[in-house]
Amino acid sequence: MSDNRLFEATMESFPDGIIIADSNNKIVFVNTAAEEIRILPTSAKLNRKT
């Protein structure tokens, strides 16, 4: 398993919402729990300013 896949699998396993932004405050990762909390599809959140 690649490091990226392992990271994503680990983040998805958390029951808490996780949203990760890059140094430009753009969202680069949203796990399923965060998606359910925020009520936006993941594709709509990625690359949006936080």
Side-chain angles (χ1 to χ4, degrees):
M1 183 178 281
S2 72
D3 288 343
N4 192 41
R5 289 183 129 195
L6 179 60
F7 169 80
E8 288 186 13
T10 302
M11 294 296 108
E12 286 295 340
S13 71
F14 284 98
D16 299 319
I18 298 172
I19 299 172
I20 299 174
D22 67 11
S23 60
N24 294 315
N25 292 324
K26 288 187 178 180
I27 296 171
V28 295
F29 180 82
V30 179
N31 73 347
T32 303
E35 184 177 334
E36 292 171 2
I37 293 166
R38 301 278 296 205
I39 313 171
L40 287 174
T42 301
S43 59
K45 290 188 212 90
L46 294 179
N47 295 314
R48 292 181 72 188
K49 290 270 188 178
T50 55

